[in-house]
Amino acid sequence: MSTDTANRIHIEKATTSKISQVDFNNLMFGRVFTDHMFVCDFKDGKWQKPQIMPYQAMTIEPSARVFHYGQAVFEGMKAYKDEDGKTFLFRPQQNFERINKSSARMAIPEFPQNYFFEGLEALLKLDNEWIKPGVGSSLYLRPFVIATEPAISASPANEYRFMIICSPAKAYYNEPVRVLIAEKYSRSADGGVGFAKAAGNYGAQFFPTSLAQKKGFQQIIWTDASTHDYLEEAGTMNIFFRINDKLITAPTNDRILDGVTRKSVIQLAEDLGIDCEVRQITVKEIKEAAKDGSLKEIFGAGTAAVISPVSAFEHAGDVFEITAADKSYAQLFKSTLLNIQHNLSEDKHGWRHEIK
């Protein structure tokens, strides 16, 4: 069945749903996808009419520029449902602005705001049953753009595809993680694309992360490319350090992603009266704090994991175990964020965006 919503988005509904085949209590992150997807192509110098269609494989030529020059960016978002059946997004304007910032850096045309929000809302209404209520449950949303023009000359593409796919999700990390502080490999460099959610940023992390995993660590805390003296990010998350009762996180720059969860934690720290410094922090400072007992917590912050505590770190052969803190900031921020996201507490900053 085909309908047309406000003459702007063409919608083709799936004839049957896969939802009855899904065990929502035993989900592997990012492996199960909902019944529909959003698609919009850029051709002839403009974005074409958006479509929502059944989730399906797509045909793309082997000469598509994305395969050769890596023109691809993405976002990570979540939809939440409260006990009354209302559905919410969390700060979606930030994701919209960031995917266009990422696109601009990769010479990809920016996507129209009305297409983005109307597409998201129409998609979530169609796949509403896939959004389960309860703290910890969500629907992960993956907007992304790829260069589709079939040409292998080394230049920006003239054709692109913007898509949104959805995957039901539970908790990303169930236990605290052990991390290795980078001494050789880098996530990004000055003047590069570290601030963008470019696909290649993440592919480049896989090899050094696999080396860390062989040593018994789940993730890497990345350091600056020039000196490896300054702590910047953790795996696919921004990173926070608690020294005594002070929270510290690195400032954003062209190497560090301006995370939505990161800026939310900074605001919540202010709301809760927690001293939060945004400044450069050295490996030496953290190691000394670990030795003298003033390092109370390290945790990552990101959309998929929300807040992920770190239980130990290694650097230059030195291993430091981190004892779980009394009155943990990580737990406080996680519960506060989840309560806002699931409409269980006041949203005084207007972060929730209801799908009506």
Side-chain angles (χ1 to χ4, degrees), residues 12 64 69 88 112 143 152 180 189 221 224 234 240 292 303 305 312 319 334:
E12 179 187 350
Y69 305 112
F88 300 91
I152 57 171
L180 184 68
I221 295 183
D224 70 289
F240 286 83
D292 67 24
T303 297
V319 179
K334 185 171 185 176

Side-chain angles (χ1 to χ4, degrees), residues 58-71:
M58 63 185 189
T59 300
I60 187 168
E61 294 200 28
S63 55
R65 290 187 194 259
V66 65
F67 299 136
H68 305 275
Y69 305 112
Q71 273 187 291

Side-chain angles (χ1 to χ4, degrees), residues 98 187 194-197 202 233 238 252 255-259:
R98 192 172 62 186
R187 178 186 174 276
F195 70 91
K197 284 186 78 71
Y202 297 82
E233 289 196 5
N238 294 114
T252 54
R255 301 185 306 273
I256 298 177
L257 188 72
D258 187 12

Side-chain angles (χ1 to χ4, degrees), residues 231 243 246 248-251 262 277-282 285:
L231 297 155
I243 296 180
K246 181 175 291 183
I248 305 168
T249 193
R262 171 191 176 274
E277 289 187 357
V278 179
R279 63 169 174 84
Q280 288 188 317
I281 183 167
T282 64
E285 180 180 355

Side-chain angles (χ1 to χ4, degrees), residues 158-224:
N158 292 310
E159 297 178 3
Y160 298 87
R161 176 162 288 181
F162 185 103
M163 300 185 68
I164 305 173
I165 56 176
C166 310
S167 179
K170 301 290 277 188
Y172 194 76
Y173 293 116
N174 290 315
E175 301 293 335
V177 297
R178 300 173 67 85
V179 299
L180 184 68
I181 294 179
E183 299 177 67
K184 175 182 177 182
Y185 295 101
S186 301
R187 178 186 174 276
S188 60
D190 290 336
V193 297
F195 70 91
K197 284 186 78 71
N201 289 350
Y202 297 82
Q205 294 184 37
F206 295 157
F207 176 67
T209 301
S210 72
L211 299 180
Q213 289 169 345
K214 289 175 182 177
K215 296 182 66 175
F217 299 91
Q218 286 80 41
Q219 284 290 355
I220 292 175
I221 295 183
W222 301 102
T223 49
D224 70 289

Side-chain angles (χ1 to χ4, degrees), residues 220-282:
I220 292 175
I221 295 183
W222 301 102
T223 49
D224 70 289
S226 299
T227 66
H228 294 291
D229 289 336
Y230 295 96
L231 297 155
E232 297 198 332
E233 289 196 5
T236 58
M237 299 177 287
N238 294 114
I239 190 77
F240 286 83
F241 304 90
R242 175 185 174 185
I243 296 180
N244 292 318
D245 289 334
K246 181 175 291 183
L247 198 62
I248 305 168
T249 193
T252 54
N253 51 42
D254 56 11
R255 301 185 306 273
I256 298 177
L257 188 72
D258 187 12
V260 178
T261 308
R262 171 191 176 274
K263 62 181 69 177
S264 301
V265 167
I266 292 170
Q267 180 60 62
L268 290 175
E270 181 180 329
D271 295 347
L272 295 165
I274 294 171
D275 187 10
C276 181
E277 289 187 357
V278 179
R279 63 169 174 84
Q280 288 188 317
I281 183 167
T282 64

Side-chain angles (χ1 to χ4, degrees), residues 111-127:
F111 197 64
Q113 180 165 313
N114 58 340
Y115 283 3
F116 182 83
F117 281 96
E118 289 175 17
L120 268 177
E121 297 204 4
L123 187 59
L124 291 174
K125 287 174 184 176
L126 274 178
D127 286 340

